[in-house]
Amino acid sequence: MARKPSAPLRRGWTTGACATAATKAAWTALLTGEFPDPVRITLPKGQQPAFALATERLDAHSALAGVVKDAGDDPDVTHRALICAEIRRAGAGEGVVFRAGSGVGTVTLPGLPVAVGEPAINPVPRRMMRAVVEEVATTTGTPPDAIVEISVVDGERLAEKTWNPRLGIVGGLSILGTTGVVVPYSCSAWIHSIHRGIDVARAAGYTHVAACTGSTSERAVQTRYGLPDTAMLDMGDFAGGLLKYLRRHPVPRLTIGGGFGKLSKLAMGHMDLHSGRSQVDLARLAAWVRELGGSPELADEVTRANTANQVLHAAGAAGLPLADRVAREARARALSVLDGGTAIEVMVFDRQGGLVGRTDGF
């Protein structure tokens, strides 16, 4: 994850906001013969940003407009992507019909807020686009019946950097956004993906899912249990985002896997495991070393260690099951967030993917 700059950060616009602006511009052009540029829309919280058009095309049967997404200072995979809306008239009474163009995915698994077979355009962006279609239709005295095809240039390649393939969204990106605004480094897209991953796993009827802090622990857990990709939740640093959602949407069994340092933070009660937002408490690790029978010299070495990995090696060399203690404490912290609906085990791995500590299972 990119490190957050210290200077004040500029906000940006979601793919849903950009798609809505492109939709309004294209629909206006189809009905009036002219593209509004810039085009202004109203977001769910009342803001009224204006978007410049990057591309436009008009013929007798359709209109296309495109907006380049500006994600502000957020390290968003879709920053600078060209998001286009192509509009054609629909049959009388059909309302707004959404289609997935090039670079926009299609939903293939249940559990997401959009039905299987539908374009991966989330409910709030759909409402925003319907609203601008109805707004322009009212202004021009035209029925609000339109076929809206959203596309993202190079979206299929960009989607490979997202959770979409694991969520069963094939062919491209999702059109997202609940407010229309991207808050830099809020990590809302990542947490949103964790929630959708839980939804897909529940809809598939899985009784066992795994959430891991990184690719090494994920590979180790998945290999050990033979879990399908759709049962693997890319928790990353967001233990709190995962556990709070599981409290409301439980699954029978959860394996949490991760490195010693990250899970030490969870063991100490941190729910955000990012290095910039929580730190390993070396004094607490030293206290656990003493409780496990470690020497005063070893406890002092732990207190003065430069890294959590150094602590793990020192405890291992002394034959102390410190990683097991971290696993037990992490499990207790995780269970304290839940409401009894999910059984948890914790597995601690070294940097090579070797299992160095775990709880007793479920």
Side-chain angles (χ1 to χ4, degrees):
M1 185 184 299
R3 183 173 294 276
K4 181 178 179 178
S6 57
L9 299 177
R10 187 171 59 89
R11 296 189 173 196
W13 312 113
T14 63
T15 51
C18 296
T20 300
T23 296
K24 183 175 181 179
W27 183 231
T28 302
L30 187 63
L31 299 185
T32 69
E34 296 184 0
F35 288 91
D37 188 7
V39 56
R40 189 174 297 277
I41 63 172
T42 301
L43 299 180
K45 292 188 176 181
Q47 306 100 313
Q48 294 187 320
F51 295 80
L53 299 186
T55 187
E56 56 188 58
R57 187 191 73 227
L58 176 64
D59 59 36
H61 304 290
S62 68
L64 180 143
V67 170
V68 173
K69 176 176 174 177
D70 180 359
D73 288 324
D74 194 66
D76 190 312
V77 68
T78 56
H79 180 58
R80 308 305 299 169
L82 177 59
I83 299 169
C84 298
E86 183 172 6
I87 312 294
R88 299 184 297 279
R89 292 178 186 266
E94 289 188 30
V96 178
V97 179
F98 293 101
R99 300 274 171 83
S102 174
V104 171
T106 298
V107 174
T108 66
L109 293 177
L112 296 173
V114 177
V116 171
E118 282 286 310
I121 302 171
N122 269 23
V124 172
R126 286 178 183 242
R127 288 200 295 271
M128 292 168 62
M129 284 182 262
R130 286 194 184 97
V132 296
V133 168
E134 292 169 359
E135 173 194 339
V136 176
T138 298
T139 301
T140 59
T142 305
D145 301 314
I147 297 171
V148 179
E149 182 176 300
I150 305 299
S151 60
V152 180
V153 175
D154 207 24
E156 190 165 3
R157 181 187 65 82
L158 292 174
E160 295 174 356
K161 302 178 182 181
T162 73
W163 262 44
N164 276 16
R166 184 170 289 182
L167 295 174
I169 297 171
V170 300
L173 293 162
S174 302
I175 303 301
L176 302 173
T178 55
T179 65
V181 178
V182 174
V183 178
Y185 291 85
S186 67
C187 304
S188 58
W190 193 323
I191 295 171
H192 171 89
S193 294
I194 294 172
H195 296 174
R196 298 297 78 78
I198 293 169
D199 292 341
V200 168
R202 281 166 51 88
Y206 295 146
T207 60
H208 183 192
V209 299
C212 299
T213 60
S215 58
T216 299
S217 54
E218 180 176 86
R219 283 193 300 270
V221 170
Q222 188 170 24
T223 298
R224 178 175 292 267
Y225 286 114
L227 294 172
D229 285 347
T230 43
M232 304 300 296
L233 308 174
D234 190 9
M235 178 179 75
D237 293 322
F238 304 108
L242 169 93
L243 294 168
K244 291 172 185 177
Y245 196 75
L246 279 174
R247 182 171 59 203
R248 302 190 304 272
H249 309 278
V251 295
R253 297 191 299 160
L254 168 69
T255 296
I256 295 176
F260 179 79
K262 296 281 189 185
L263 292 186
S264 291
K265 294 180 185 182
L266 178 58
M268 295 165 189
H270 297 294
M271 292 294 145
D272 185 334
L273 310 181
H274 190 272
S275 60
R277 296 184 287 271
S278 61
Q279 300 297 320
V280 175
D281 185 343
L282 294 174
R284 181 85 62 86
L285 289 178
W288 290 344
V289 163
R290 288 192 293 270
E291 291 175 14
L292 292 169
S295 66
E297 292 77 17
L298 178 58
D300 184 59
E301 180 183 349
V302 167
T303 303
R304 293 181 289 101
N306 292 319
T307 66
N309 196 51
Q310 184 179 346
V311 173
L312 177 63
H313 283 299
L320 297 180
L322 181 59
D324 286 336
R325 176 64 180 269
V326 164
R328 291 195 301 273
E329 296 287 345
R331 179 178 180 271
R333 293 289 186 173
L335 286 172
S336 72
V337 177
L338 301 180
D339 194 24
T342 299
I344 295 178
E345 72 165 351
V346 176
M347 306 177 79
V348 183
F349 297 93
D350 62 22
R351 291 181 175 176
Q352 290 71 47
L355 182 64
V356 293
R358 68 178 302 179
T359 54
D360 293 332
F362 299 106

